[in-house]
Amino acid sequence: MASGLTELPARILGPLFAWIQATPVYILLALLVTLVLLGLLALFVLLHLVAPKPRAAFPSEKTYITSGPDGRPTAPRALPCWYDRWLAERRLSEKQADAAAAANNTDSTTTTAIPDAGAIDLAELRLSVVLPAYNEEDRILPTLEEAVSYLDEHFGRPGSSSSNSSSNNNTSPSKKQRHRTASQPQAPTSGYEILVVNDGSRDKTVDVVLRFAAERKLDDVLRVVSLERNRGKGGGVTHGLRHVRGHYVLFADADGATRFSDVGRLMEGCEEVVDASGRGVAIGSRAHLVGSEAVVKRSALRNFLMRSFHLVLTILTPPATSRIRDTQCGFKLFTRAALPHIVPYMHAEGWIFDIEMLMLAESAPAAPLLGSDGSVIGASPGIKVAEVPVEWHEVGGSKLNVVQDSVKMAVGLAVLRASWMMGVYRRRLT
């Protein structure tokens, strides 16, 4: 019996080897190419089946509530949306390009320049803050208190005469900013808004936020957008980013693990990498904390999984993204001009969404490169990302399952990267 089992591979492989030796090389090569193509086709079909596809927003998700002057919640109000206008203009542009290509019997993707980003509504405020929240009634209040205290002092509320000079000192224009094209409008120097995206919470998160808004008289400054069904952190952040009005846009975790006092540092870092089109990204980084008490206190399993994920990240992501030491810190700042190159093409709605944002920034179309005198001397590919060290401390109550979500993130990253490489995801909308 045992000898029969050991002879089984030889019985199967022997005739196969004999057939390979007897078959002409060109036939073997043809079969190999066919198998590779079939494998790629199968992978392409599989990615279409498993790759995340974000759902469209429900009508109620394009409204917000806030605290009224009397302290009571308002009726739902229409939420400003730069994305809807951008999307309509982009689709019109692509239809016109397709029509022109059809008239000339050419391919629109190769003969007609399709703009990657259309016009985005002008900024109304200096800063927009997006806080995704899912069952955060116990953790969001300290975050809001710290945020409002800092933002009131450094930015001032919209329409308030108390927008003091400290905000301008923290965000004074850099040399790159002063040399941008004259066609770019002047950015607002004051005012802020906070968008709390309630991601289908089942607790009293909304009540806590609205009560705080009434106590601090944040009428129409603190807005609550409620999603009918939970979409995940990435889905909540992306939805919020579609409705911001600020020149700078920050998303932060609702748990308050990072400090709003670092917002100024992110702005400075962003201005150091901003291009001639006003596009720039700055991300908070905890990489400098490796070896510190905050990280050492973590379990050995969590630290091992963190390092393993970073290794996978380095292998699977494009060069600029792979060099970022901390992609997952929930404290990222974008200029308004960068949003149309990132937000419309987001697919990931889970924990992996940060990496897709950074990959989209890296792959964004080139922008003019300016010399010291402001003249165009070339082109700069992609949107540059500044990694800025920030203060961070671990907060209890995290909804992250270390083992399970680490595996999901690794698989999600592989699916994400393969989907972009094989054309399942594209920048072209149609």
Side-chain angles (χ1 to χ4, degrees), residues 211-366:
R211 190 181 310 117
F212 174 81
E215 293 172 355
R216 299 294 291 266
K217 301 189 182 304
L218 294 164
D219 313 343
D220 222 34
V221 175
L222 179 53
R223 302 177 170 190
V224 178
V225 183
S226 291
L227 305 183
E228 291 187 16
R229 294 202 301 265
N230 178 268
R231 298 185 67 166
K233 181 182 175 182
V237 169
T238 301
H239 186 79
L241 294 179
R242 292 178 176 181
H243 299 278
V244 292
R245 298 177 293 155
H247 174 71
Y248 290 103
V249 180
L250 171 78
F251 82 77
D253 289 342
D255 61 4
T258 47
R259 299 300 183 192
F260 271 82
S261 56
D262 285 324
V263 169
R265 299 178 65 186
L266 285 187
M267 286 185 172
E268 292 172 1
C270 191
E271 285 301 333
E272 288 300 317
V273 299
V274 76
D275 59 29
S277 298
R279 309 177 308 174
V281 178
I283 64 173
S285 175
R286 303 160 295 183
H288 64 291
L289 296 175
V290 174
S292 68
E293 185 179 4
V295 175
V296 171
K297 280 185 176 180
R298 287 178 165 183
S299 67
L301 174 62
R302 183 162 186 170
N303 285 328
F304 169 76
L305 291 173
M306 178 183 67
R307 294 187 180 93
S308 301
F309 177 75
H310 188 74
L311 176 61
V312 173
L313 180 72
T314 302
I315 296 171
L316 292 181
T317 55
T321 303
S322 67
R323 288 193 294 268
I324 294 175
R325 299 177 65 194
D326 184 5
T327 59
Q328 301 306 111
C329 181
F331 203 62
K332 293 181 172 64
L333 182 83
F334 306 82
T335 61
R336 189 172 187 82
L339 296 181
H341 298 275
I342 298 174
V343 175
Y345 310 106
M346 288 292 299
H347 298 86
E349 297 198 323
W351 300 104
I352 207 71
F353 81 100
D354 303 75
I355 297 173
E356 186 174 25
M357 283 184 165
L358 298 173
M359 287 169 49
L360 286 168
E362 180 177 353
S363 63

